Amino acid sequence: MFPTPGGRRRSPVPGRRRAAAAILTAALLAPLAACGTGDAGSGKSASGEPSAARLTVLAASSLTDVFKTAGDAYEKSHPGTEIAFSFAGSQELAAQVRQGAPADALVTADSRTMEGLAADTGSPVVIAKNRLVIATGKGNPHKIGALEDLAGTKLKVVLAAPEVPVGRYSRQILQGRDVDVRPVSEEPNVRAVLSKVEMGEADAGIVYRTDAAVAADRVDAVDIPDGHNAVASYPAATLKSSQNADAAEAFVTWLTGPEAQKILRDAGFQQP
C-alpha cells in the first residue's frame, strides 16, 4: 500500500499487479516447457517412443483368445497404452474399414482380404499361420476320421460362408479331395462354426486348429494331413485413418517380436 497526500494509503495500480503476475507465471512455466513430451503432434515422447494412446484393433475371430492375452501383455509393457479389440470375420472387418470405422490397426486371417484394402492400410506383415482341422462332438461319436467322411448324407456338417477365409479354405481342401459336402448352415466366422458343433447343432465342422484347441473340453479335433490341408496366413497392418499412427505402428511391430510370437506359438499358431 502507498500513502496518499491526505494520509490515506492506496492499493497498487491494477496494471502493475497484472504485469507482476505475468512475470511470475512465465518464470514458473519455463522449467515445465523444458521438460515437454516431444514435438507437438508427433505422437512421440521426448525419448522417441510413441506417446500413450488408446488403440482400436480390428482382428479376425480366430484371434479372440490369443489377442486378449497379447493385449494384456502389451499394456503391461507399455504403461498408459490401452488396446480395445473388435473381433469378427475378416470380410466383416474389411467392410468396416471401407465404411470408415474408427480404428488403428487390422489383422485378418488371410492375405487376400488385406490385399484388397491396400489403399487403406500401411504395409502388412504376416504375424502367424494356422491350419485346419475337423471339429466333432466330444468323443467323436460319428467316428469321423478324414475329409471323405464328411460326405456322409446322415451327417450334419457346418462350414463358414464362402466369403469368410476359413470358409474359402474349407472348400479348397474339400474340392482338392473331391469331397462333396452340403452344409446345413454357412456361418459368418469360424467361432460360429465351432459354436454349432459345441452345442450339438452340427455333427462336424471345419475350423482352425487353434479354435478347436480353445474348446478341447467340448469338441474333438480330427487332423487333416498337411498334403491335403491349407495354410492360413495372418497379416497385420496399420490403418491410414488412424489418429494414433505411431502407437499403431509400434503395436504391429511388437506383434512380430519375441514376446508376441511366444504368445501366439503357445496358443498353437505357427510362426510366419
Side-chain angles (χ1 to χ4, degrees):
M1 303 289 284
F2 302 101
T4 64
R8 289 175 298 174
R9 304 177 70 85
R10 62 179 181 181
S11 300
V13 178
R16 293 178 181 175
R17 289 203 302 270
R18 287 195 296 269
I23 293 172
L24 178 60
T25 300
L28 292 172
L29 292 179
L32 296 178
C35 297
T37 57
D39 295 335
S42 69
K44 294 186 177 181
S45 66
S47 65
E49 291 295 318
S51 302
R54 189 175 195 277
L55 298 178
T56 298
V57 179
L58 307 179
S61 294
S62 50
L63 295 167
T64 299
D65 295 275
V66 69
F67 262 21
K68 288 178 180 177
T69 301
D72 289 341
Y74 189 80
E75 289 179 351
K76 184 177 181 180
S77 60
H78 296 74
T81 298
E82 297 180 18
I83 300 183
F85 294 103
S86 177
F87 299 101
S90 296
Q91 82 290 348
E92 294 181 41
L93 300 178
Q96 292 176 32
V97 172
R98 293 190 180 101
Q99 291 165 7
D104 303 288
L106 170 70
V107 188
T108 61
D110 68 332
S111 294
R112 180 188 298 185
T113 299
M114 185 67 79
E115 290 168 358
L117 297 169
D120 301 291
T121 69
S123 299
V125 57
V126 175
I127 63 166
K129 293 192 175 183
N130 213 341
R131 289 184 179 275
L132 278 63
V133 297
I134 302 170
T136 73
K138 194 63 182 174
N140 193 4
H142 295 279
K143 308 303 178 186
I144 297 169
L147 289 169
E148 287 76 7
D149 295 334
L150 298 181
T153 56
K154 295 182 179 181
L155 281 181
K156 292 185 293 182
V157 179
V158 61
L159 300 175
E163 61 270 18
V164 184
V166 70
R168 187 166 62 250
Y169 293 137
S170 299
R171 287 164 178 76
Q172 174 184 324
I173 63 177
L174 288 169
Q175 291 171 5
R177 297 298 295 166
D178 197 23
V179 177
D180 183 21
V181 172
R182 298 183 180 181
V184 295
S185 70
E186 296 183 329
E187 302 300 319
N189 58 65
V190 69
R191 286 305 173 94
V193 174
L194 183 66
S195 178
K196 290 282 188 180
V197 179
E198 286 182 280
M199 294 187 296
E201 296 179 14
D203 301 318
I206 298 180
V207 302
Y208 294 117
R209 178 179 294 166
T210 53
D211 291 287
V214 169
D217 59 335
R218 301 180 296 279
V219 303
D220 279 4
V222 178
D223 285 334
I224 300 171
D226 286 351
H228 305 154
N229 214 323
V231 179
S233 294
Y234 290 77
T238 58
L239 292 174
K240 292 180 180 179
S241 60
S242 171
Q243 299 299 305
N244 304 288
D246 291 315
E249 182 65 35
F251 177 69
V252 170
T253 299
W254 180 83
L255 288 173
T256 67
E259 183 178 11
Q261 286 298 301
K262 183 180 186 304
I263 293 171
L264 287 161
R265 187 169 61 251
D266 289 348
F269 288 85
Q270 298 172 253
Q271 290 187 296

